[in-house]
Amino acid sequence: MLIVFKLLGSLALLMFGMKSMSDALQKMAGPQLRHVLGAMTTNRFTGMLTGTVVTASVQSSTATTVMTVSFVNAGLLTLAQAISVIMGANIGTTLTAWIMSAGMSFDISIVSYVGFFVGIILIYMKKHRYIGDFLFGLGLLLLGLTTLRMTGNEMDLGHNETVLNFFSSFDTGSFWTTLVFLILGGVLTFCVQSSAAVMAITMILCSSGALPIYQGIALVLGENIGTTITSNLAALSANTQARRAALAHMFFNVFGVLWILIVFHPFVKMVCGWVGYDVDMTKDAVTPEVFMANATKLTFVLAAFHTTFNVINAGILIWFIPQIERFVCWVIKPKKVDEEEDFRLHFITAGFMKTPELSVLEAQKEIQSFSERMQRMFGMVQDLLNISKTDRSGKADKNKEKIDQEFNKLYTRIEKYESISDNMELEIAKYLEQVSDAHLSDETKAKIRAMLREISELESIGDACFNMGRTISRKYNAKQDHFNERQYSHLHQMMGLTDNALTQMNQLMSGRKEAYDVNRTFNIENEINNFRNQLKAQNIVDINNHEYTYAEGTVYMDLINECEKLGDYVVNVVEARMGTRQRDL
């Protein structure tokens, strides 16, 4: 039992160390990773190279794959770009196998202790805490590998008759044996959600002489398929393109397994020859020392096979990316729904929390969608005013009924959008609260505070639009007299200024804030304020001159004032995104 717990504990150390390293690296290079993925995927070869480098850097193909799926979901990468990046991720993850094979073959515990010592010093130095987190994670990884190697030696599986009899009961040359171990590797990886842990177990079994090389490599092939489950789970609640990217990842690995099974034994013998491992050596034919010396090379055989297989597979499939893209598009058809009318978060995927930087990116894309939706809502208010202006006097009852139906239908849509804006604010805020529970940098904390302010102001824009729609509806249904032509002209002019402010806001939300001139928004806001003051003074004069009744003037000014409030909310959104206030300029 003690040995079993040491085995499980060392695996836990290994997995936690890898996760800590990956998280620390992504925190250090979060924005840069996003820009690298966007800038270096101009063609299939640079995309594959990018996926390789990023995965080797963050030591997690899962992180790269989930990040890539999220970028496709957010519209930052095309499907073809994502496929090339995922191909590269499969190559980059092979570095992990080489690190583990070194840890299984040599005593590297001293390096882990140095990592702990230096790491804890840097963690308490706020400026370098992410480097400290990385070194601490590296120390845990190496300590886990050292403990695994020692535990494997204690278990002495090479002399355990029960274990030896179990594995020897399988015919090494049988295709069905390869298939059984392939499925077993896939199931184990799916269960523990870590191909590194299953690779470590495989290395222990092989290096102890208990597991023949052919079955060990079959387990490695199964790990390649099992690890694709993660990206497919991440894409379940994502959009169509993201689910296609995840399916392409699975197709890539399954295709590789299919062709390698055809040349399995010759391919394994070729890799063994490179490493210097005698694949035909049996335990009874040589002394135990010679047999174990040969068996210790198996960890490098596994790493070499893993790298060679993935490089060749990528080299074959990189020429067929357009065909893979067409295949996944054929398998996964887009949903035929009116996404504009049905409330659904497009970019935030539930059930799978990523690193804070990636989560903030998804929330920013969702806020951009929220902002665009609010401008569409304001456009509906303008259309509602135009319909209410329609002169129904002297028209046939049938035409009057048609106008009423059109008006009521549009007002119902405005009501629905108001409800959607409330739900979007709550859902995005809830997501940002979950993100804020993680260990965040000061920059990311500031981003989240700004985003919470943005969604609050965007929801206020929705409220202002609904208030205007409700005011127009009350006037229309009360059968009050129309505004005069000058009032309509002023309303359209004010709404035009407001719509221009919303357009400027959406340009900022969809672009880089460094390229945005914030003075454009402030100038429009000043125009709105001055025009409102002018109309307010003119309204009193017109009422006194009996141009229209006081009640009509009140409704008219209510619409003007709501436009002015909406302009203020736009300025607040812009200030939150830019990280400044008007009075600071």
Side-chain angles (χ1 to χ4, degrees), residues 72-73 79 238-245 328-329 332-335 339 344:
V72 175
N73 191 41
L79 182 56
N239 64 17
T240 302
Q241 287 293 81
R243 285 186 285 118
R244 287 170 175 169
V328 296
C329 289
I332 300 180
K333 302 288 194 300
K335 295 179 181 179
E339 293 185 345
R344 185 177 75 85

Short mmCIF file of all heavy atoms in Angstrom, two decimals, residues 72-73 79 238-245 328-329 332-335 339 344:
data_model
loop_
_atom_site.label_atom_id
_atom_site.label_comp_id
_atom_site.label_asym_id
_atom_site.label_seq_id
_atom_site.Cartn_x
_atom_site.Cartn_y
_atom_site.Cartn_z
N VAL A 72 -10.47 30.42 -32.34
CA VAL A 72 -11.39 30.18 -33.46
C VAL A 72 -12.80 30.61 -33.06
O VAL A 72 -13.52 31.25 -33.82
CB VAL A 72 -11.37 28.70 -33.88
CG1 VAL A 72 -12.42 28.42 -34.95
CG2 VAL A 72 -10.01 28.31 -34.40
N ASN A 73 -13.18 30.27 -31.83
CA ASN A 73 -14.49 30.65 -31.31
C ASN A 73 -14.66 32.16 -31.29
O ASN A 73 -15.75 32.69 -31.55
CB ASN A 73 -14.66 30.08 -29.90
CG ASN A 73 -16.07 30.20 -29.38
OD1 ASN A 73 -17.02 29.97 -30.12
ND2 ASN A 73 -16.22 30.56 -28.13
N LEU A 79 -10.26 28.53 -39.46
CA LEU A 79 -10.21 27.10 -39.21
C LEU A 79 -8.92 26.49 -39.76
O LEU A 79 -8.29 25.65 -39.11
CB LEU A 79 -11.44 26.43 -39.83
CG LEU A 79 -11.58 24.92 -39.61
CD1 LEU A 79 -11.57 24.59 -38.13
CD2 LEU A 79 -12.86 24.42 -40.27
N ALA A 238 -19.08 25.59 -27.60
CA ALA A 238 -18.57 26.67 -28.44
C ALA A 238 -19.33 26.72 -29.76
O ALA A 238 -20.27 25.96 -29.99
CB ALA A 238 -17.07 26.46 -28.69
N ASN A 239 -18.92 27.63 -30.63
CA ASN A 239 -19.62 27.77 -31.90
C ASN A 239 -19.17 26.70 -32.90
O ASN A 239 -18.30 25.87 -32.61
CB ASN A 239 -19.44 29.18 -32.47
CG ASN A 239 -17.99 29.49 -32.81
OD1 ASN A 239 -17.14 28.60 -32.93
ND2 ASN A 239 -17.70 30.76 -32.99
N THR A 240 -19.73 26.75 -34.08
CA THR A 240 -19.49 25.70 -35.08
C THR A 240 -18.02 25.59 -35.46
O THR A 240 -17.47 24.49 -35.54
CB THR A 240 -20.35 25.98 -36.33
OG1 THR A 240 -21.72 26.04 -35.95
CG2 THR A 240 -20.17 24.88 -37.36
N GLN A 241 -17.36 26.73 -35.71
CA GLN A 241 -15.97 26.71 -36.14
C GLN A 241 -15.06 26.09 -35.07
O GLN A 241 -14.12 25.36 -35.40
CB GLN A 241 -15.49 28.12 -36.47
CG GLN A 241 -16.05 28.69 -37.77
CD GLN A 241 -15.54 27.95 -38.99
OE1 GLN A 241 -16.04 26.88 -39.34
NE2 GLN A 241 -14.55 28.51 -39.64
N ALA A 242 -15.33 26.38 -33.80
CA ALA A 242 -14.51 25.84 -32.72
C ALA A 242 -14.68 24.32 -32.63
O ALA A 242 -13.72 23.58 -32.41
CB ALA A 242 -14.88 26.49 -31.40
N ARG A 243 -15.90 23.84 -32.80
CA ARG A 243 -16.13 22.39 -32.77
C ARG A 243 -15.46 21.71 -33.95
O ARG A 243 -14.97 20.58 -33.86
CB ARG A 243 -17.64 22.10 -32.76
CG ARG A 243 -18.28 22.37 -31.40
CD ARG A 243 -19.73 21.97 -31.32
NE ARG A 243 -20.59 22.90 -32.04
CZ ARG A 243 -21.34 22.58 -33.08
NH1 ARG A 243 -21.33 21.36 -33.57
NH2 ARG A 243 -22.09 23.49 -33.66
N ARG A 244 -15.40 22.40 -35.08
CA ARG A 244 -14.70 21.85 -36.24
C ARG A 244 -13.20 21.75 -35.98
O ARG A 244 -12.55 20.79 -36.38
CB ARG A 244 -14.98 22.72 -37.47
CG ARG A 244 -16.38 22.57 -38.03
CD ARG A 244 -16.67 23.64 -39.07
NE ARG A 244 -17.98 23.43 -39.70
CZ ARG A 244 -18.58 24.32 -40.49
NH1 ARG A 244 -17.98 25.48 -40.74
NH2 ARG A 244 -19.76 24.06 -41.02
N ALA A 245 -12.63 22.76 -35.32
CA ALA A 245 -11.20 22.73 -35.00
C ALA A 245 -10.88 21.56 -34.07
O ALA A 245 -9.86 20.88 -34.24
CB ALA A 245 -10.79 24.06 -34.34
N VAL A 328 -14.22 18.39 -42.10
CA VAL A 328 -14.84 18.73 -40.80
C VAL A 328 -16.04 19.65 -41.00
O VAL A 328 -17.00 19.61 -40.22
CB VAL A 328 -13.82 19.34 -39.82
CG1 VAL A 328 -12.75 18.33 -39.47
CG2 VAL A 328 -13.20 20.61 -40.37
N CYS A 329 -16.00 20.48 -42.06
CA CYS A 329 -17.16 21.33 -42.35
C CYS A 329 -18.34 20.48 -42.83
O CYS A 329 -19.51 20.80 -42.57
CB CYS A 329 -16.81 22.37 -43.41
SG CYS A 329 -15.69 23.67 -42.84
N ILE A 332 -19.66 18.62 -39.48
CA ILE A 332 -20.33 19.51 -38.52
C ILE A 332 -20.96 20.65 -39.29
O ILE A 332 -20.29 21.57 -39.75
CB ILE A 332 -19.35 20.04 -37.46
CG1 ILE A 332 -18.74 18.89 -36.68
CG2 ILE A 332 -20.05 21.02 -36.52
CD1 ILE A 332 -17.75 19.31 -35.62
N LYS A 333 -22.27 20.58 -39.45
CA LYS A 333 -23.03 21.61 -40.17
C LYS A 333 -23.36 22.76 -39.23
O LYS A 333 -23.58 22.55 -38.03
CB LYS A 333 -24.32 21.02 -40.73
CG LYS A 333 -24.12 19.84 -41.68
CD LYS A 333 -23.54 20.29 -43.00
CE LYS A 333 -23.64 19.22 -44.07
NZ LYS A 333 -22.95 17.97 -43.75
N PRO A 334 -23.42 23.99 -39.73
CA PRO A 334 -23.80 25.14 -38.87
C PRO A 334 -25.26 25.04 -38.46
O PRO A 334 -26.10 24.54 -39.21
CB PRO A 334 -23.56 26.35 -39.77
CG PRO A 334 -23.63 25.82 -41.16
CD PRO A 334 -23.12 24.40 -41.11
N LYS A 335 -25.53 25.51 -37.25
CA LYS A 335 -26.91 25.51 -36.76
C LYS A 335 -27.70 26.63 -37.42
O LYS A 335 -27.23 27.75 -37.54
CB LYS A 335 -26.93 25.70 -35.23
CG LYS A 335 -26.30 24.55 -34.47
CD LYS A 335 -26.35 24.82 -32.98
CE LYS A 335 -25.71 23.68 -32.20
NZ LYS A 335 -25.72 23.94 -30.74
N GLU A 339 -29.31 33.75 -34.23
CA GLU A 339 -28.54 33.98 -33.01
C GLU A 339 -28.74 35.39 -32.49
O GLU A 339 -28.53 35.67 -31.32
CB GLU A 339 -27.06 33.70 -33.27
CG GLU A 339 -26.78 32.23 -33.55
CD GLU A 339 -25.29 31.94 -33.68
OE1 GLU A 339 -24.53 32.92 -33.83
OE2 GLU A 339 -24.92 30.78 -33.63
N ARG A 344 -27.58 34.01 -26.27
CA ARG A 344 -26.56 33.00 -26.05
C ARG A 344 -25.21 33.68 -26.08
O ARG A 344 -24.95 34.51 -26.95
CB ARG A 344 -26.60 31.91 -27.13
CG ARG A 344 -25.62 30.78 -26.88
CD ARG A 344 -25.76 29.71 -27.95
NE ARG A 344 -25.17 30.14 -29.20
CZ ARG A 344 -23.87 30.00 -29.50
NH1 ARG A 344 -23.05 29.47 -28.63
NH2 ARG A 344 -23.41 30.40 -30.68
#
